[in-house]
Amino acid sequence: MSKAIRINQIGGPEQLQVVDVQVGEPGAGEIRIRHHAAGLNYIDVYQRTGLYPFAMPLYLGMEGAGVVEAVGAGVTHLQVGDRAAYASQPPGSYCEARVMPAKSVCKLPDTISFETGAAMMLKGLTAQYLLKKTLPQGGLQAGDFVLFHAAAGGVGLIACQWAKALGLQLIGTAGSDEKCAMALQHGAAFAINYSTENFAARVKEITAGKGVKVVYDSVGKDTWDQSLDCLQPFGLLASFGNASGPVPPFAPGILGAKGSLYLTRQTLFSHIATRESTQAMADDLFAVVASGQVHIPIHQRYPLEQVQQAHIDLEARKTTGTTVLTM
Ligand SMILES: NC(=O)c1ccc[n+]([C@@H]2O[C@H](COP(=O)([O-])OP(=O)(O)OC[C@H]3O[C@@H](n4cnc5c(N)ncnc54)[C@H](OP(=O)(O)O)[C@@H]3O)[C@@H](O)[C@H]2O)c1
């Protein structure tokens, strides 16, 4: 048996219920993992509220770390007793133990704790593909400016550090002066409090009128228009989330008018669609963490049973860095 968090219908945090479930044996291509911790991600909110629709009932959670307890037929990269971590579909990591596809599960290096593994796989692999693979024409070179919204959040504080390690000048936005200070401490070259300042005007000031080569935008509705105004001609708007709500439909002509801009909407799940790509990205993440260039900031811990409070705090913008649910 395992405690797990389930919703029977979409709605607010009150829908998150602790239930006892029977955990079976893994089938072909699957493993059973016993978690030490699970990661909290904003995508969990989208699934809970129905912005990203799923069949009900739904077991939530997309990130976890623990020990492999059983291995199904055909799984060769994991063995019983391995320490492991993952970012993965289908949801269901908010639990003590589960059976899941082995494809996205990676062996966790001994130097990385379970909590760090649970906190970093979805958010760290996202920072990896954004900064390394979601690039403007001609790529990014050391010294280039990029704009990263919600820079004091889970993905944000990892991206601040990784961008610095790559020699980029990351301009971070955040919703308070305290969060801006945190982004700067984690390697952002500049920080803008977008709840009090016009961030497009500040970006123009910082870049001497030129604008940035890429805007990484996970805030969505509230930042969309101004984000386009921050870009250089031929710059890239990399949209990857909707914390403030989804971006409404728009006319593509606006991209021409603002300087022949490029637009992409990325999701991690395209990048980790194969075992090989997942492992290659995870190896890159493990290396940058092991080197000390990126430290995974775990700023909140909640026991699994207090998952409702974790969601309340995440949606109220009270969290910074990463958050784990402990078992
Ligand atoms: N597409 C992908 O592959 C992918 C993968 C991972 C994450 N994401 C996206 O990346 C973003 C960051 O994820 P995360 O899990 O690390 O979350 P997070 O950044 O820790 O939390 C979300 C942050 O968004 C900001 N925000 C701005 N407007 C908001 C609003 N109206 N309501 C709530 N928050 C608002 C808040 O920071 P401030 O107070 O500083 O504004 C908040 O702390 C999310 O949008 C997520 O969906 C996308």
Side-chain angles (χ1 to χ4, degrees):
M1 295 295 281
S2 160
K3 284 203 189 327
I5 306 299
R6 187 173 75 194
I7 58 170
N8 293 324
Q9 60 185 60
I10 59 172
E14 73 286 351
Q15 296 299 332
L16 298 159
Q17 299 299 332
V18 184
V19 293
D20 287 313
V21 292
Q22 192 75 44
V23 185
E25 293 302 316
E30 294 182 331
I31 59 152
R32 189 172 70 233
I33 185 166
R34 186 154 295 271
H35 292 131
H36 283 235
L40 186 76
N41 288 283
Y42 218 88
I43 192 172
D44 308 340
V45 172
Y46 306 145
Q47 293 174 357
R48 196 204 70 222
T49 58
L51 180 64
Y52 295 175
F54 276 83
M56 295 290 141
L58 176 65
Y59 293 89
L60 282 180
M62 306 284 283
E63 189 175 45
V67 175
V68 176
E69 262 189 358
V71 174
V75 176
T76 54
H77 69 286
L78 293 168
Q79 292 180 347
V80 171
D82 279 347
R83 304 171 75 252
Y86 64 87
S88 174
Q89 303 267 26
S93 71
Y94 290 0
C95 66
E96 293 167 330
R98 72 183 291 199
V99 168
M100 65 179 295
K103 191 178 68 156
S104 314
V105 183
C106 296
K107 276 176 81 161
L108 187 64
D110 288 341
T111 51
I112 299 179
S113 72
F114 287 118
E115 284 197 354
T116 298
M120 79 179 189
M121 290 300 280
L122 199 149
K123 291 169 281 282
L125 294 178
T126 298
Q128 199 275 352
Y129 86 72
L130 289 173
L131 295 172
K132 299 268 186 99
K133 301 203 244 175
T134 309
L135 303 175
Q137 298 287 300
L140 286 173
Q141 283 78 43
D144 281 344
F145 285 107
V146 302
L147 179 65
F148 207 104
H149 289 310
V155 178
L157 286 185
I158 296 173
C160 286
Q161 298 172 75
W162 210 330
K164 185 175 184 192
L166 293 169
L168 301 173
Q169 300 202 68
L170 182 147
I171 305 171
T173 60
S176 71
D177 291 344
E178 293 73 23
K179 287 183 178 184
C180 284
M182 200 176 282
L184 291 170
Q185 280 157 16
H186 285 77
F190 299 88
I192 305 170
N193 180 343
Y194 56 9
S195 62
T196 57
E197 292 183 87
N198 176 318
F199 70 82
R202 281 280 288 129
V203 164
K204 283 286 159 68
E205 250 173 58
I206 292 166
T207 60
K210 285 191 182 145
V212 297
K213 285 193 171 173
V214 191
V215 178
Y216 295 106
D217 191 335
S218 65
V219 173
K221 183 172 65 66
D222 287 357
T223 45
W224 181 256
D225 290 332
Q226 271 196 61
S227 287
L228 292 174
D229 291 333
C230 293
L231 286 163
Q232 295 177 10
F234 309 106
L236 173 67
L237 179 57
S239 165
F240 70 105
N242 3 249
S244 67
V247 177
F250 74 101
I254 192 85
L255 299 174
K258 290 188 184 278
S260 301
L261 304 177
Y262 291 83
L263 167 67
T264 183
R265 176 56 163 93
Q266 294 280 311
T267 167
L268 173 65
F269 302 104
S270 312
H271 292 272
I272 59 170
T274 68
R275 161 95 209 103
E276 292 69 28
S277 62
T278 306
Q279 191 63 53
M281 289 170 65
D283 287 345
D284 196 23
L285 174 62
F286 294 153
V288 81
V289 170
S291 74
Q293 288 175 301
V294 171
H295 164 74
I296 304 300
I298 304 176
H299 290 177
Q300 298 79 214
R301 290 177 174 80
Y302 301 82
L304 181 65
E305 293 80 0
Q306 287 176 23
V307 64
Q308 290 190 0
Q309 192 60 47
H311 272 231
I312 289 167
D313 293 346
L314 181 62
E315 281 185 279
R317 303 164 81 161
K318 286 188 180 157
T319 65
T320 57
T322 69
T323 302
V324 291
L325 303 175
T326 55
M327 311 294 157

